Amino acid sequence: MNRDIFLKLLEQRQFKAVRSILDVMNEVDIALLLSELDDKALALAFRLIPKDKAAEVFSNMDTSMQTYLVQVFTEKELKELVEDLYMDDTVDMLEELPANLVTRILDTVSAEDRIKINELLNYPADSAGSIMTTEYVDLRKNMTVAQAMAHIKETGIHKETIYTCYVTERRKLIGTVSAKELMTEDDSMVIESLMETEIISVKTHTDKEEVARLFTKYDLIALPVLDEDDHMVGIVTFDDAMDVMVEEATEDITKMAAINPSEKPYFATSVLAHAKSRIPWLLVLMFTSIITGAIITKYEDAFAAIPLLVSFIPMLMDTGGNCGSQSATLIIRGLALDEIHFRDLFRVIFKEFRISLICGGVLAAANGIRILIMYRDPQLALVIALSLIATVIISKLIGCMLPLFAEKLHLDPALMASPLITTLVDTFSILIYFNIATMLFQL
């Protein structure tokens, strides 16, 4: 939908036309369209969204838009909106809003819902409990299919998903049954004879990254969440698991680039905030490069004897950094997907060592030939070739081991990515290079 046409219709107060446009648009697209409007137009347009879509559109808005709308809503509008929002979306919104608006929203909900919301808000931010919803379809094992379908028709409208139903007994989860099975089986069949008893579930304090991995591993639509007493308290749905995957991938990417993670979008983050997130790591990496400088200073005599040696330093350092980053990236991905574990350390080292021999050999041969053609100096070619092979081997071993040790020490493996590995590899590559050069040239 063209923003200018939409704005023109709003300004001309052609509300019937605006409503008909919003009626056929997807909720996510509506949220995207409204994000381009100013505050006044946003409030007006939101009130024209069909009631059955309003809550879903609101849950897809960014925090600044939600905050503004909560401020301008009447008590009646706010109450209707919160009633239509799913519990996990309500909690997500409350976590981002200012305290005065949170209080205002909580005043509009029932005492029962307020208790549920407060429970969800008290779960650790990185836990399954913090992303679950308490709205799911629960059945009893002695129900017939007909009774179960009637129950779903009566209560399903208020649940986030009805594709998987949960069979509980004294609040304990004893089985699951899909809506497809209920629709295709005879009405007289008893739920106990249909339900699946091999259940994949998580605890409320399970790390949400682990929850997301289970969705990927088992192709789940929803995942039940149990408390410490094995009572069922909620479910995590696939859309929330996808949000976790995006959030964790974003966090890893920023850490790999030596930037402190931020939950705000790029343009919503101020210039000062961007700078503050980057400066700490830049300072650390800058001062660690002093080690490399000290090593280079130590070999000033070698430079004086053969000035050409200096010209190969950038190539060796860059090659080492690139090799280390390649290995680190693959290991971090393997750890994130649960394909690699610390117990695989020696398998990984052996594999990366063999890879480094091939890569180092090819790079050494290419540079050796280049140097022979350009400088006609076999001794220099040998120095560079040996330095490259040693640098590639050391770089790939550092790149594969650091993330694994970080995981073992319960640190984020992404912290061991490109910037830190590059700094370490620079130091080792310079040491290797000048030791080989001084030996072969007898400096």
Side-chain angles (χ1 to χ4, degrees), residues 309-326:
L309 288 174
V310 181
S311 66
F312 294 101
I313 292 176
M315 182 267 292
L316 283 168
M317 292 171 64
D318 288 348
T319 301
N322 293 337
C323 288
S325 297
Q326 285 179 339

Side-chain angles (χ1 to χ4, degrees), residues 69-353:
L69 289 175
V70 171
Q71 287 174 328
V72 300
F73 279 164
T74 64
E75 296 301 320
K76 181 174 180 293
E77 288 174 324
L78 198 56
K79 188 173 188 298
E80 288 176 351
L81 175 69
V82 175
E83 284 176 352
D84 289 337
L85 280 172
Y86 292 120
M87 190 65 70
D88 57 336
D89 291 329
T90 303
V91 171
D92 288 343
M93 172 185 66
L94 293 177
E95 286 179 329
E96 302 296 333
L97 291 180
N100 62 315
L101 297 182
V102 172
T103 303
R104 187 176 173 222
I105 290 171
L106 289 177
D107 286 342
T108 68
V109 302
S110 65
E112 183 183 353
D113 283 345
R114 194 178 301 124
I115 291 170
K116 290 180 181 177
I117 289 170
N118 284 327
E119 283 178 358
L120 293 173
L121 286 171
N122 285 328
Y123 286 117
D126 59 352
S127 68
S130 69
I131 59 171
M132 74 179 184
T133 178
T134 56
E135 294 155 330
Y136 58 90
V137 176
D138 60 329
L139 304 174
R140 300 291 174 266
K141 66 179 182 180
N142 56 355
M143 281 181 169
T144 62
V145 168
Q147 289 172 329
M149 291 297 290
H151 178 70
I152 292 171
K153 287 178 182 178
E154 182 183 348
T155 63
I157 190 66
H158 305 295
K159 310 303 181 185
E160 186 152 355
T161 179
I162 61 169
Y163 300 116
T164 303
C165 304
Y166 301 91
V167 185
T168 57
E169 188 173 50
R170 297 187 186 89
R171 292 184 58 208
K172 292 205 172 185
L173 180 62
I174 59 173
T176 62
V177 61
S178 69
K180 179 182 177 182
E181 288 175 301
L182 294 175
M183 288 187 285
T184 55
E185 293 292 345
D186 190 90
D187 285 351
S188 61
M189 287 279 287
V190 178
I191 295 299
E192 187 174 14
S193 63
L194 293 175
M195 69 184 189
E196 175 65 54
T197 55
E198 292 294 324
I199 306 166
I200 300 164
S201 63
V202 293
K203 298 288 188 179
T204 51
H205 285 72
T206 300
D207 190 282
K208 62 185 183 182
E209 279 192 73
E210 175 61 23
V211 174
R213 276 197 288 265
L214 289 174
F215 271 87
T216 304
K217 184 176 181 179
Y218 294 106
D219 293 328
L220 301 172
I221 294 174
L223 186 63
V225 183
L226 313 180
D227 64 15
E228 295 307 313
D229 297 319
D230 287 333
H231 292 146
M232 185 165 176
V233 291
I235 60 171
V236 177
T237 51
F238 72 94
D239 56 321
D240 294 312
M242 287 178 65
D243 289 341
V244 171
M245 293 176 198
V246 171
E247 179 187 321
E248 296 301 328
T250 303
E251 184 179 320
D252 286 347
I253 289 168
T254 54
K255 285 180 178 178
M256 289 170 73
I259 301 172
N260 290 331
S262 171
E263 293 182 1
K264 292 183 179 179
Y266 178 84
F267 287 111
T269 306
S270 68
V271 171
L272 182 60
H274 272 301
K276 284 170 68 178
S277 71
R278 303 179 194 190
I279 287 172
W281 266 109
L282 289 175
L283 284 170
V284 170
L285 296 172
M286 181 182 71
F287 283 114
T288 53
S289 66
I290 293 172
I291 301 170
T292 308
I295 294 169
I296 293 173
T297 304
K298 183 182 174 183
Y299 290 95
E300 282 180 338
D301 293 341
F303 297 153
I306 309 175
L308 190 58
L309 288 174
V310 181
S311 66
F312 294 101
I313 292 176
M315 182 267 292
L316 283 168
M317 292 171 64
D318 288 348
T319 301
N322 293 337
C323 288
S325 297
Q326 285 179 339
S327 297
T329 301
L330 291 175
I331 299 305
I332 290 167
R333 177 186 178 275
L335 289 168
L337 297 177
D338 207 31
E339 295 174 352
I340 300 173
H341 306 89
F342 185 77
R343 64 175 178 268
D344 301 315
L345 176 64
F346 292 108
R347 286 179 63 200
V348 170
I349 289 173
F350 184 50
K351 186 158 194 167
E352 287 296 318
F353 177 72

